[in-house]
Amino acid sequence: MDHGKARVLAAGPRCPSLGMWASKASISRYSVPTPISRTWAMVNEARGSGGGSSDSEGSKDSSRCSTPGLDPERHERLREKMRRRMESGDKWFSLEFFPPRTAEGAANLISMFDQMAGGGPLFIDVTWHPAGDPGSDKETSSMMIASTAVNYCGLETMLHMTCCQQSPEQITGHLYKAKQLGIKNILALRGDPIGDQWEAEEGGFDHATDLVKHIRGEFGDYFDICVAGYPKGHPEAGSFEEDLRHLKEKVSAGADFIITQLFFEADTFFHFLKACSEIGISCPILPGIFPIQSYSSLRQLVKLSKLEVPQEIKDVIEPIKDNDAAICNYGIELAVSLCQELLASGSVPGLHFYTLNRKMATTSVLKRLGMWTEDPRRPLPWAISAHPKRREEDVRPIFWASRPKSYIYRTQDWNEFPNGRCKSPRQELLKMWGEELSSEESVFEVFAHYLSGEPNQYGYKVTCLPWNDEPLAAETNLMKQQLLRVNRLGILTINSQPNVNGRPSSDPIVGWGPSGGYVFQKAYLEFFTSRETVEALLQVLRKYELRVNYHIVDVKGENITNAPELQPNAVTWGIFPGREIIQPTVVDPVSFMFWKDEAFALWIEQWGKLYDEESPSRMIIQYIHDNYFLVNLVDNEFPQDSCLWQVVEDAFELLNRPAGLVREVEAS
């Protein structure tokens, strides 16, 4: 390939020499028909429902082990997790979020879920706003935000449900939908009135107690149910004692635990806790913590909750009410002091934070308290979904390692490709990926800037690519220089991992699983590249036939592989005390053909459509889509230094040889 020459070409005839190299190397060639039956590697929930094809049984048995999930909490209900934490004295925290109004806000909130998950919340909850179509399929609805948190972010999630403007039939419909989406926890509330006074829905519920009874009557013990408590009594109750009796009724109707309204002084909570105990309420009671973040948010929340702010807090805030930074710092100090007093009492098992969809104040408080964990170990090398159907999932194909949310989507729906999650506005993407492309080499540079983290020619950092939802993994830095070199030469990598031979499971870069274990990886490289480079690779790979497994496929489905009998190849595994070997990541030939369709489509759907249809930039992306190949390489000799970089270097060296020498190599 002439890397210095721009090419803007239509798709040409197929090159016959590619088949020749495959034939010389005794490589198997096949095309997988569509649709392909669902195999174990693509969806584990088929096992639970009797799905899957019998043809995949050998593949399934050869690559799965019978080991139960590494994390016992994957199999526990929320109330069981709480009980276990209380018995061990291990304090926890949980976080509340509300659905944003815009699609961009939803994308930002989902990103925050991923960030906040790193601190180790026991659960999160998502509020229910009757005016925002909360039970719909809109990406901003309460239902969809909660579903995303469960299925894509792997968070134990509780969905608020109110009686407001809903009939019992509508509530039942929402609960069935929540159950189908994998949501297992409900915060049952009457809800705030739409106007000044509560107006009952005809035939509907007037009290949270009615809602709790309805949930238990319709769904038995499926949902864990939380209810709200008011440390100073509900503002509409006749007295504090009357409100306590209503709370006792909610618990007696089937509630599992209580989260309180916000308060400002620890003694308020202790008095409430004592009163609850005296009336016979024995379930866990979590204090609601509100770190003050601004004058306006404090006023709004106090207005909604009808609480009185203590005078000593007013005296501090009033003089600095126009300085949000100063108020936030004060709010953090106030929340830290309140939480320390609550935790020191020994009566508080966990803390529930009202985040207002902001990260800084809550994380600052939790870090000061020593409750923000950020354990570098992962239960498995990929993000775990919290959907009940995926409790037993312990193996995934490596191809979706950088698009885990896409993998979850594909393996639950099977009807269409998911939209990419690089949700930056079009102008932002153009600044990252090129407002104008002049050659294939322009594309090479985009990949290189993504890996290097350095600004491109427009002064912007490339923070995502169509194939990469997630930030670069820490282990990528172990191969950064090699990756930069090959990308600039036209090996456009979209997935990779270094070889690992018995590193401790606690290793901050490649570790995962329980303590005391050891993890292993085979070197893996996945990339797009030109037909000319593929021809050179096939020549070089003849020297590595017993060591390197490869799959090479174009957009039309021509697939060249030396994988034996289309069996999956484990590329990540771990050994842990008292357990069988866990092998959670595989290269599976059948799944690769599913991934091929998505990977090639992203060139056009995510990148090409940024440009006018007849523009040179669009034609360059179209040319790559039509003519490049998707390649994956696995070096099976994991105890040795990876040979994959040498394979690529030998291919480049072969490409740069004079034509006469290449023919001599072909003849030999």
Side-chain angles (χ1 to χ4, degrees), residues 356-429:
L356 300 185
N357 288 10
R358 298 177 186 175
K359 180 177 68 170
M360 192 276 287
T362 300
T363 55
S364 296
V365 172
L366 287 165
K367 287 176 181 178
R368 292 271 298 275
L369 295 172
M371 296 178 72
W372 188 263
T373 57
E374 287 195 349
D375 188 343
R377 288 196 310 273
R378 303 158 289 171
L380 288 167
W382 31 264
I384 296 169
S385 170
H387 194 295
K389 290 183 179 179
R390 293 183 180 270
R391 283 176 175 169
E392 304 298 331
E393 183 178 29
D394 55 11
V395 182
R396 283 189 190 172
I398 196 173
F399 317 120
W400 283 271
S402 297
R403 284 175 61 83
K405 294 177 176 64
S406 169
Y407 176 78
I408 298 282
Y409 181 98
R410 289 180 64 98
T411 56
Q412 72 178 2
D413 253 8
W414 297 94
N415 292 325
E416 55 183 310
F417 292 135
N419 293 320
R421 293 193 169 268
C422 201
K423 285 188 175 288
S424 299
R426 178 176 180 272
Q427 288 304 316
E428 292 296 317
L429 294 177

Side-chain angles (χ1 to χ4, degrees), residues 197-509:
Q197 299 293 326
W198 173 261
E199 294 183 9
E201 183 78 12
E202 186 175 350
F205 303 136
D206 283 338
H207 303 287
T209 302
D210 301 324
L211 179 54
V212 175
K213 290 178 179 177
H214 179 75
I215 296 171
R216 287 292 179 230
E218 293 290 327
F219 295 89
D221 202 38
Y222 175 80
F223 290 105
D224 283 6
I225 301 176
C226 176
V227 292
Y230 299 86
K232 289 200 168 185
H234 193 283
E236 297 177 22
S239 66
F240 178 75
E241 290 73 23
E242 178 188 324
D243 188 52
L244 273 183
R245 288 194 293 273
H246 290 317
L247 181 59
K248 175 71 181 298
E249 289 171 1
K250 289 189 282 188
V251 174
S252 299
D256 297 295
F257 61 101
I258 297 166
I259 293 177
T260 76
Q261 178 61 276
L262 66 95
F263 54 91
F264 297 100
E265 297 170 316
D267 284 343
T268 302
F269 180 78
F270 295 145
H271 173 261
F272 175 71
L273 204 62
K274 183 173 183 291
C276 286
S277 176
E278 289 173 349
I279 202 172
I281 296 173
S282 58
C283 66
I285 302 176
L286 308 183
I289 308 298
F290 170 59
I292 299 171
Q293 303 184 49
S294 69
Y295 187 71
S296 60
S297 66
L298 176 62
R299 287 186 62 185
Q300 180 67 15
L301 208 59
V302 166
K303 178 182 176 182
L304 291 172
S305 60
K306 299 179 181 176
L307 288 175
E308 182 65 30
V309 179
Q311 187 60 45
E312 56 267 33
I313 295 178
K314 290 181 181 179
D315 291 342
V316 174
I317 285 180
E318 282 296 331
I320 58 172
K321 64 182 181 181
D322 296 323
N323 187 337
D324 281 353
I327 288 180
C328 187
N329 288 334
Y330 171 69
I332 291 170
E333 294 296 328
L334 197 66
V336 169
S337 177
L338 174 63
C339 292
Q340 287 174 336
E341 191 172 352
L342 292 170
L343 294 171
S345 72
S347 303
V348 175
L351 304 169
H352 185 73
F353 285 84
Y354 298 107
T355 70
L356 300 185
N357 288 10
R358 298 177 186 175
K359 180 177 68 170
M360 192 276 287
T362 300
T363 55
S364 296
V365 172
L366 287 165
K367 287 176 181 178
R368 292 271 298 275
L369 295 172
M371 296 178 72
W372 188 263
T373 57
E374 287 195 349
D375 188 343
R377 288 196 310 273
R378 303 158 289 171
L380 288 167
W382 31 264
I384 296 169
S385 170
H387 194 295
K389 290 183 179 179
R390 293 183 180 270
R391 283 176 175 169
E392 304 298 331
E393 183 178 29
D394 55 11
V395 182
R396 283 189 190 172
I398 196 173
F399 317 120
W400 283 271
S402 297
R403 284 175 61 83
K405 294 177 176 64
S406 169
Y407 176 78
I408 298 282
Y409 181 98
R410 289 180 64 98
T411 56
Q412 72 178 2
D413 253 8
W414 297 94
N415 292 325
E416 55 183 310
F417 292 135
N419 293 320
R421 293 193 169 268
C422 201
K423 285 188 175 288
S424 299
R426 178 176 180 272
Q427 288 304 316
E428 292 296 317
L429 294 177
L430 285 170
K431 289 171 182 175
M432 287 194 290
W433 300 346
E435 295 180 0
E436 184 177 342
L437 302 174
S438 59
S439 65
E440 293 169 63
E441 285 73 17
S442 302
V443 176
F444 302 173
E445 283 301 310
V446 174
F447 279 77
H449 282 292
Y450 173 67
L451 287 163
S452 70
E454 296 174 357
N456 62 16
Q457 61 180 324
Y458 305 104
Y460 286 86
K461 291 187 176 182
V462 181
T463 59
C464 66
L465 290 174
W467 304 271
N468 298 88
D469 293 345
E470 307 292 301
L472 286 172
E475 64 182 26
T476 302
N477 286 323
L478 302 176
M479 310 172 287
K480 189 171 183 178
Q481 294 309 311
Q482 296 98 320
L483 288 167
L484 279 170
R485 170 171 165 73
V486 301
N487 275 271
R488 288 195 167 109
L489 293 174
I491 298 285
L492 305 179
T493 57
I494 60 174
N495 198 355
S496 59
Q497 69 177 32
N499 64 304
V500 174
N501 184 23
R503 295 293 300 168
S505 60
S506 58
D507 187 284
I509 296 177

